[in-house]
Amino acid sequence: MRIGIWAGILAALLLVPSAASALPTGPAELPTASETREPEAVDLVPRSSDQSAIEALLTEPTAAADSDLRYRDAILAFYEDRDFRPVWIVDGALTPAAESVIARLSKADTDGLDPKAYEVDRAMLDTGPHPDAPDLATTELSLSDAVIAFAHDAQSGRIDPRRISSIITLTPPVPDPLVSLKRVASSSNPVDALDAFNPPHPQFRALKAALAAERASEIERPEPVPSGRNLRLGDSDPRVGLLRQRLGATLHRGSDVSVYDEGVVEAVKAFQSEHGLRPDGIVGPNTLAVMNRGLERDREADILVNMERWRWMPRDLGATYVFVNIPEFKVRIQREGALAYEGRVVVGKSSNPTPTFSDEIEHLVVNPYWNVPYSIASKEMLSSIQKNPEGYFASRGYEVVSNGRVVSPSSISWSPAALRHVRIRQKPGRGNALGNIKFMFPNEHAVYLHDTPSRNLFSKPVRAFSHGCVRVDQPLDFADALLAEEPHWNASQIKKLIGGGERYITLDRHIPVHLAYFTLWAEDDGTLDAFGDVYGYDRRVEKALSN
């Protein structure tokens, strides 16, 4: 088909008027005096066959229909703007910039991407030292298409996060295809321009380094310690030998390697303390879960999954921002690149997962009412309310609001339909489910950060117990760090308000908040901490990336 197309184009180029056909056919007219002067020189730059070939590939209907360019419209706009002159090919050969771009695209796997997605049609390279114009044009446009594709995938990821879950409502920053191509093509260092499309976050760079180290490493990973009965001082179990190896516990002369002795107990206690577990020296399911994190999974696949997630995040997280990492059960406040606060949180259980998105904290509410969501009221409260409305509401500090005013619970004929026409709320106070303060960032998921009276849950290693909101362990400390740049409020002032009526505090400056989901987190020394995939997202992302 290509031969037919180009034969037609060549014939069209040859159909120019001949000298004879340009002669006048009517009566000759004498020129005027002004018409007899020498003609002015016209600066005409002849159009190259490469330009004509590029234009034909982009505009000739049959050629365009056969094209497999993914970003044809942007590429057409780019070349129209430069009269279809090639940018990657000069005098029938790839420019040094083109060579460097092709080489960089071939190493896209170092970015956690698939180099096959950015392979360049090498038509001009496969036809010998003197490629013809159509082959030159094919390679030229293929390279431009690959540049745009890499820019897109590097910056915004290969998959739509909503394919993983409808409650992952992050909006990846998608680069403009035309702008991407112009940026790389006009750069004095196109490789650096390509690199700049990757996420700028330190965690992404750490994961990229970890990916390279993982692929280069020949060190065998430790064997996971099998599950079994709880291990206590004096127990004999073949798993104790693995524990000794993992924790570096000394085996005294004459001791049995399989006996859970004092040396192993102390090593286990140290491990538990380091990882936020109760240091009781007993090896149970929680201790084993933390000890085996990441060992039962494909480490390289996990790194790729988490690199993809960083592409979904805003490129600018904010000068000051709140970052909740759901699988880690932690919240951090970063200010100007430094850690300003770190604390424990409780997140949604697997049946009520905490959504993943970015927003801005706009205000705080001290002594908040808890407006009970319909889902909780209908599934967890209605049957008890129906048995004894007055008693249920009085014992829990609830009240019912109908048509804007508080009414007696017994005045309502309680049913699922009735719940849609009234509002159940819990009054501020010691037993209020939201505690003394909540941190608000109005969003489509109706979730927020808040205090809680259920303090015992923060000591557990796995803290997925809420209905989707995020409970903060030390809310006043968190508030103090959050309000550090607020001129009128701090934690001590908020503390004075506790116990009174509901009070709204509007922030002078909104603070970005990110509810994120990362199962790998790099420490300052580059080591990776692995966390449980509490909602089972990792394998879904891995599968989507492999398709």
Side-chain angles (χ1 to χ4, degrees):
M1 180 174 288
R2 178 183 293 173
I3 294 173
I5 293 169
W6 290 109
I9 293 170
L10 182 59
L13 292 174
L14 294 174
L15 290 176
V16 296
S18 68
S21 64
L23 293 174
T25 57
E29 297 179 2
L30 294 174
T32 65
S34 61
E35 291 173 329
T36 60
R37 65 173 181 263
E38 290 292 323
E40 294 180 1
V42 179
D43 185 17
L44 294 176
V45 178
R47 207 153 193 250
S48 71
S49 58
D50 294 345
Q51 288 171 273
S52 299
I54 291 172
E55 181 178 16
L57 267 183
L58 289 172
T59 61
E60 200 279 330
T62 306
D66 289 344
S67 171
D68 57 359
L69 296 176
R70 292 160 288 189
Y71 298 93
R72 182 178 170 279
D73 289 345
I75 293 172
L76 174 59
F78 175 80
Y79 283 97
E80 277 183 333
D81 192 47
R82 52 186 294 112
D83 193 27
F84 298 97
R85 286 179 293 106
V87 67
W88 306 115
I89 296 171
V90 173
D91 296 332
L94 291 172
T95 67
E99 296 279 12
S100 65
V101 167
I102 292 173
R104 177 64 183 85
L105 295 176
S106 71
K107 298 176 182 176
D109 59 325
T110 64
D111 305 290
L113 301 174
D114 182 3
K116 293 179 182 177
Y118 322 111
E119 289 180 342
V120 176
D121 188 326
R122 305 175 68 85
M124 67 164 284
L125 306 178
D126 297 335
T127 56
H130 303 293
D132 58 18
D135 289 331
L136 286 171
T138 298
T139 298
E140 168 82 21
L141 299 182
S142 176
L143 179 50
S144 291
D145 191 57
V147 165
I148 298 174
F150 177 89
H152 175 277
D153 294 352
Q155 182 164 313
S156 57
R158 289 183 279 168
I159 57 178
D160 180 351
R162 292 177 191 253
R163 287 175 55 192
I164 307 305
S165 171
S166 61
I167 62 169
I168 302 178
T169 55
L170 291 163
T171 304
V174 180
D176 181 276
L178 178 56
V179 173
S180 298
L181 180 55
K182 285 183 175 181
R183 182 179 302 169
V184 177
S186 63
S187 175
S188 60
N189 191 328
V191 171
D192 285 352
L194 286 170
D195 288 340
F197 287 104
N198 277 315
H201 314 105
Q203 283 291 322
F204 178 85
R205 293 195 294 269
L207 287 170
K208 183 175 179 178
L211 178 64
E214 180 70 19
R215 288 170 171 169
S217 176
E218 297 180 359
I219 300 175
E220 292 188 9
R221 297 167 66 193
E223 182 181 348
V225 179
S227 58
R229 63 189 178 90
N230 289 358
L231 294 177
R232 292 179 168 82
L233 179 64
D235 287 347
S236 180
D237 191 295
R239 294 176 296 159
V240 176
L242 272 178
L243 285 172
R244 290 184 186 277
Q245 293 176 14
R246 290 288 303 279
L247 303 176
T250 303
L251 177 64
H252 297 289
R253 182 175 298 177
S255 299
D256 187 340
V257 69
S258 63
V259 172
Y260 193 56
D261 57 24
E262 284 284 358
V264 187
V265 169
E266 291 305 313
V268 167
K269 286 182 178 179
F271 175 87
Q272 290 170 328
S273 295
E274 182 182 351
H275 291 83
L277 302 168
R278 188 160 57 115
D280 56 11
I282 299 172
V283 179
N286 288 337
T287 298
L288 283 179
V290 174
M291 192 173 291
N292 289 334
R293 277 176 184 166
L295 296 180
E296 295 161 339
R297 305 193 309 228
D298 183 338
R299 181 68 159 221
E300 181 176 327
D302 285 353
I303 294 173
L304 294 174
V305 163
N306 283 275
M307 290 176 76
E308 174 73 8
R309 287 190 179 117
W310 276 109
R311 303 185 198 279
W312 305 342
M313 298 295 292
R315 290 176 74 83
D316 182 3
L317 300 178
T320 296
Y321 63 89
V322 175
F323 196 99
V324 175
N325 189 22
I326 294 168
E328 190 181 6
F329 312 112
K330 274 192 177 179
V331 59
R332 294 176 175 88
I333 296 177
Q334 295 283 146
R335 181 169 292 112
E336 300 296 344
L339 182 65
Y341 176 85
E342 181 176 287
R344 297 183 178 194
V345 296
V346 169
V347 301
K349 51 193 172 184
S350 58
S351 57
N352 297 97
T354 297
T356 305
F357 67 103
S358 294
D359 212 297
E360 292 183 338
I361 296 178
E362 300 179 7
H363 63 274
L364 284 55
V365 182
V366 185
N367 307 314
Y369 280 94
W370 176 43
N371 292 295
V372 181
Y374 174 83
S375 59
I376 296 177
S378 60
K379 295 176 182 178
E380 302 179 23
M381 298 170 60
L382 182 58
S383 61
S384 297
I385 292 173
Q386 290 171 329
K387 294 174 184 176
N388 182 6
E390 293 287 351
Y392 186 89
F393 277 74
S395 65
R396 292 164 176 79
Y398 291 144
E399 55 188 20
V400 57
V401 179
S402 178
N403 295 320
R405 60 190 183 89
V406 177
V407 300
S408 170
S410 58
S411 69
I412 305 297
S413 179
W414 292 100
S415 68
L419 283 175
R420 295 194 179 278
H421 299 285
V422 300
R423 177 161 51 94
I424 298 174
R425 68 183 187 183
Q426 190 177 32
K427 293 179 285 187
R430 181 173 297 178
N432 184 283
L434 305 184
N436 295 316
I437 186 171
K438 63 179 180 178
F439 307 86
M440 301 299 293
F441 39 102
N443 57 82
E444 64 181 285
H445 307 285
V447 299
Y448 42 85
L449 277 67
H450 65 86
D451 184 15
T452 176
S454 304
R455 314 305 310 169
N456 61 308
L457 297 179
F458 290 105
S459 63
K460 297 183 178 296
V462 177
R463 297 185 289 278
F465 300 105
S466 82
H467 288 87
C469 286
V470 178
R471 305 175 191 172
V472 181
D473 185 17
Q474 300 294 333
L476 288 180
D477 291 345
F478 175 78
D480 211 30
L482 186 72
L483 300 174
E485 298 174 60
E486 282 289 312
H488 307 298
W489 290 99
N490 57 42
S492 61
Q493 291 169 304
I494 289 174
K495 190 172 183 180
K496 294 175 183 177
L497 300 177
I498 292 175
E502 188 175 61
R503 176 74 178 269
Y504 278 67
I505 298 173
T506 301
L507 300 185
D508 286 354
R509 186 175 68 177
H510 294 177
I511 298 176
V513 57
H514 310 283
L515 305 189
Y517 194 97
F518 291 97
T519 51
L520 292 177
W521 193 263
E523 297 294 343
D524 291 341
D525 62 359
T527 58
L528 292 183
D529 289 336
F531 311 113
D533 184 13
V534 63
Y535 299 150
Y537 290 162
D538 277 8
R539 298 289 74 85
R540 295 187 215 172
V541 177
E542 182 183 355
K543 183 178 179 180
L545 289 174
S546 64
N547 289 339

